[in-house]
Amino acid sequence: MSSSHDAFGIWQDKEIRFDVGASLLAPRRGELIIDELSQVEDTKGNNGERGILQVSNLRITWHSQRSAKTNLSIGYSAIVSINIRTAESRLRGAAQALYVLTKFGGSSFEFIFTNLVHNSPRLFSTVQAVFRSYDTSKMYRELKLRGGIIRDKNLLLLPKEQIYSKIEGVWNLSSDQGNLGTMLVTNVRIVWFANLAENFNVSIPYIQIRFLKVRDSKFGMALVIETSQRSGGYTLGFRVDPVEKLTDVHKELDSMWKTYAANPEFGVAWSVEEKPKALQDLTVPRIEEDVHITVWNTVLACMRIHVHTYKACTFKHAHIHTSISAPKETSAN
C-alpha cells in the first residue's frame, strides 16, 4: 500500500536554465506571476535587446521580444545576492540596473537587467521584496530536523497554515527503542515531536515527500515516508497502534498529500506597488452631443410671424426656457 508523486518534479525555484521551450517558461501548478515588466533589457547577455521580465513566487524569467526562444529562468534558490548598480545599456546608456549573482551546478552566473522605463523602481522593489519573502519562508519547502517549531507542545504555525489532525501515540522508529510522540497533520506539512523532548522533532513538507506507504518492519506494520534527494533522501518510519488506526492515518496523509499536489502552497507572500494603468484604461470615450436644430427652426418661425407686432416668442424645453423679442423699428432723421 503506497503512493508516489516523485516530489512533484519542481525545478523552477532551484535551477538556472537558458533558452528553454515555451512550456517550461509557463507557470507550473502553484506558481503565480506576481509582476510583469514589458521593457527590460538583459544587459549582460543580450545588450540592446528589449524583453519581457516576469517575477513569480518561484523564479525570475526573461525572454526577448524579438524571439521568445532567447530566454532565461532563474530560480530564487540559486540566487546568492541582489544589488543595484550602474550599467551601460545600449538602449538607455548609463542607468541604474539590477545585478543578480547566482550559483548553480558548480558554476557562478551574473545577470544584469535594466528597466528601459525611466523613473520606475518596480524592477528593483518587486524582485527584492519577492526574493526576501522566498528566502524567509523555507519551512514551507524544506525538511527540518530538531527545529524550534514546537513550544509547550504546540506547533508554531506558519502563515496560512492550518492544523487538520492531531494524532497521539505515534512512535518514531528512528532508534532501536523508538520514541513515543505526537503527529500533527497540516495543509502544508507533517510534523512529529517526542512527548518527553519537544526539541526532538521533524517537519516534513508535502513538497519533499516521494513515497507514502505502509509496510512491515522489525517493529511490526509501520508508516514509511521517503523524502526527495534534494531534502537528503531520508526514510522515516512511524508506528501507530492498532493497525486499523495506522491504515486510517495513511489514508488521511495520502489525501492531504494529493490535495497539496493539486495546488501547492510555496509560502511566498508579496505586496506589489500599484502598476501604472495602460493607455486604453485611461482614455475617456468621446460622447457625441445630440443637437436638434429643429428647436431653433421653431424659434425662427416665431420671429418671422411676429416681426412687425413686436411680440415676444416664448419657448420652453426640458433644458431651455427663454423669451426672444424682435427688435423695434427706428427711423433715421
Side-chain angles (χ1 to χ4, degrees), residues 123-166:
L123 173 62
F124 309 133
S125 59
T126 303
V127 172
Q128 289 178 316
V130 176
F131 172 67
R132 190 179 304 114
S133 178
Y134 175 89
D135 195 47
T136 56
S137 58
K138 293 179 180 179
M139 290 297 294
Y140 282 89
R141 305 177 302 273
E142 296 184 4
L143 185 144
K144 187 74 172 177
L145 297 170
R146 298 178 180 271
I149 60 173
I150 304 294
R151 183 177 299 162
D152 298 328
K153 300 190 183 301
N154 291 311
L155 176 64
L156 301 179
L157 291 173
L158 303 171
K160 299 182 182 179
E161 184 176 26
Q162 297 178 347
I163 296 176
Y164 282 83
S165 293
K166 182 177 182 180

Side-chain angles (χ1 to χ4, degrees), residues 279-289:
L279 179 60
Q280 58 266 30
D281 296 330
L282 296 173
T283 304
V284 179
R286 180 178 178 181
I287 301 175
E288 297 291 338
E289 295 183 1

Side-chain angles (χ1 to χ4, degrees), residues 50-67:
R50 293 178 185 270
I52 298 173
L53 184 141
Q54 289 185 330
V55 182
S56 84
N57 54 337
L58 296 178
R59 56 179 170 166
I60 301 167
T61 63
W62 179 91
H63 69 267
S64 168
Q65 290 185 3
R66 183 173 56 85
S67 173

